[in-house]
Amino acid sequence: MKILGIESSCDETACAVVEDGKTVLSNIVASQIDEHRLYGGVVPEIASRRHAENIGWVTSEALERADCSLDDIDAVAVTYAPGLIGALLVGVSYAKGLAMAAKKPLVPVHHIAGHIAANYISHPDLKPPYLCLVVSGGHSHIVEVLDYCKYRVVGRTRDDAAGECFDKVARTLGYEYPGGKFIDAAAKKGNAAAFDLPHPKVQGSEYDFSFSGLKTAVINLVHNAQQKGIEINREDMAASFQRTISEILCTKAMLAAEDLGYTTIAVAGGVSANSGVRERITAQCEKRGYKLFLPELKYCGDNGAMIACQGFYDFAAGRRADMSLNAVATLSIENL
Ligand code: KG4
Ligand code: ZN
């Protein structure tokens, strides 16, 4: 069964054709990052306008590369939540038009469920139940994946998302937006023990995250040094920050796994591309004898393949949308 997946929740206009939830026949991603970079972050109105311009050719190219016509597609899956509302509406409206014109079922997909599903593409042997650490630009969750379409969030961030924290620290160190990948590259050249950064104390749920204290600590250290005319070594700070945030993410994920009895762990979202996070969680899982699944780098960030993949499971579970489907800016993955 071939699913066409459309993604437009943030700053990537993406479309893919995926067969049986695992074989990627095409995966086209049009990134707007060069334009948003000028403003130091995603500008919602610009994002919507670029999606409107790009979605047509991105979809045509995805069909062409998959050597398919719309007739060969069994269903159209689209991200409808969560995300920037204007951006989501472009994908949702386009998918509705496509599904209606081609008389194909329309499947609404949750963006975070899509990120989690990216792991099924890279690892067909991964099957629920398992515990997933979701770390993206907008979300940081520890999720029990009870079944392909059923989730329980056991930990969440109280303030910034992990990716947001990477990007803000990167900006403080003078890297361009989005700075996560620059921190990653700089960290490889720095001394991870150079700075002792704080691990946050979160009251209440022991699996919840808080990254604002860590971010502020870096900002204060950098600004204080600047005021004294001292230059902080960017690579050392990047390496120390990456070590600290990797420790925080892994410690909580391992604690949740142990308490809840999971021995199969996955990681998902843009920050799952981070080499420090990947190395630490790999080592921690090996130590405990847990099975770990990480998405291939090309499926860590936003893409259409992950939406088509999750669309396959949502379709199988009977999820359908009609022409009244709307975009939703905020929606918990538990409430699908
Ligand atoms: O999942 P994603 O593509 O978009 C959202 O759904 O938010 O995540 C984007 C985030 C950005 O904050 C970006 O800086 C971060 O993922 N990111 C990274 C790396 N690659 C992307 N963060 C750390 N290390 C990386 N290698
Ligand atoms: Zn995303």
Side-chain angles (χ1 to χ4, degrees):
M1 142 167 253
K2 291 191 180 100
I3 309 255
L4 181 91
I6 292 178
E7 156 64 37
S8 71
S9 67
C10 191
D11 57 350
E12 256 99 32
T13 318
C15 183
V17 179
V18 176
E19 193 157 21
D20 298 331
K22 52 178 184 268
T23 310
V24 178
L25 303 180
S26 64
N27 188 37
I28 309 296
V29 182
S31 174
Q32 310 170 357
I33 224 48
D34 288 343
E35 194 169 358
H36 295 294
R37 181 171 288 138
L38 304 172
Y39 304 95
V42 176
V43 182
E45 186 180 330
I46 293 177
S48 311
R49 288 174 183 274
R50 296 299 165 260
H51 285 310
E53 285 166 6
N54 292 335
I55 195 143
W57 71 260
V58 166
T59 306
S60 303
E61 198 160 322
L63 284 167
E64 202 174 303
R65 293 261 184 103
D67 205 12
C68 284
S69 73
L70 261 184
D71 286 344
D72 305 318
I73 298 295
D74 296 289
V76 177
V78 64
T79 306
Y80 75 109
L84 299 171
I85 200 74
L88 286 166
L89 277 168
V90 175
V92 165
S93 304
Y94 192 84
K96 280 159 75 169
L98 216 56
M100 185 169 79
K103 299 190 174 58
K104 302 291 175 181
L106 179 64
V107 183
V109 173
H110 190 282
H111 183 75
I112 300 301
H115 272 302
I116 295 171
N119 279 291
Y120 302 131
I121 302 172
S122 304
H123 311 288
D125 52 328
L126 173 64
K127 291 183 176 60
Y130 59 92
L131 193 73
C132 189
L133 172 67
V134 180
V135 274
S136 73
H139 299 85
S140 299
H141 285 343
I142 296 177
V143 181
E144 282 185 86
V145 183
L146 304 168
D147 208 336
Y148 289 99
C149 313
K150 196 160 180 253
Y151 314 86
R152 195 164 81 91
V153 179
V154 294
R156 50 179 62 73
T157 180
R158 300 284 181 86
D159 38 56
D160 292 351
E164 213 177 335
C165 189
F166 265 99
D167 296 341
K168 286 178 178 167
V169 164
R171 189 170 59 195
T172 305
L173 296 179
Y175 295 107
E176 288 185 327
Y177 177 85
K181 65 171 191 232
F182 297 113
I183 295 271
D184 198 346
K188 292 196 169 84
K189 299 182 214 144
N191 172 10
F195 295 94
D196 192 14
L197 299 168
H199 283 238
K201 301 255 177 307
V202 186
Q203 305 293 331
S205 169
E206 51 196 331
Y207 315 130
D208 279 2
F209 299 109
S210 167
F211 298 114
S212 65
L214 173 59
K215 171 192 73 184
T216 309
V218 176
I219 292 173
N220 288 344
L221 278 166
V222 172
H223 287 174
N224 286 343
Q226 277 168 353
Q227 277 160 9
K228 290 182 193 143
I230 303 166
E231 192 150 336
I232 276 198
N233 182 308
R234 291 209 288 183
E235 275 127 21
D236 285 352
M237 181 58 89
S240 303
F241 164 74
Q242 184 167 292
R243 171 185 57 79
T244 309
I245 198 164
S246 304
E247 281 167 6
I248 296 168
L249 291 168
C250 291
T251 304
K252 298 263 176 179
M254 292 299 110
L255 183 68
E258 202 171 306
D259 290 353
L260 301 166
Y262 285 94
T263 54
T264 303
I265 316 292
V267 189
V271 179
S272 63
N274 183 265
S275 60
V277 172
R278 290 173 88 97
E279 274 163 29
R280 175 160 278 270
I281 201 154
T282 301
Q284 295 285 316
C285 284
E286 260 171 28
K287 200 166 107 189
R288 292 170 170 79
Y290 295 169
K291 267 184 116 170
L292 173 68
F293 296 88
L294 298 167
E296 284 168 79
L297 292 181
K298 63 183 167 187
Y299 300 127
C300 290
D302 292 348
N303 65 85
M306 68 186 201
I307 302 304
C309 177
Q310 182 56 33
F312 172 78
Y313 291 104
D314 285 338
F315 182 89
R319 284 201 89 198
R320 303 287 184 276
D322 61 19
M323 288 301 126
S324 68
L325 178 67
N326 209 335
V328 185
T330 311
L331 179 71
S332 167
I333 195 171
E334 290 179 335
N335 303 332
L336 302 179

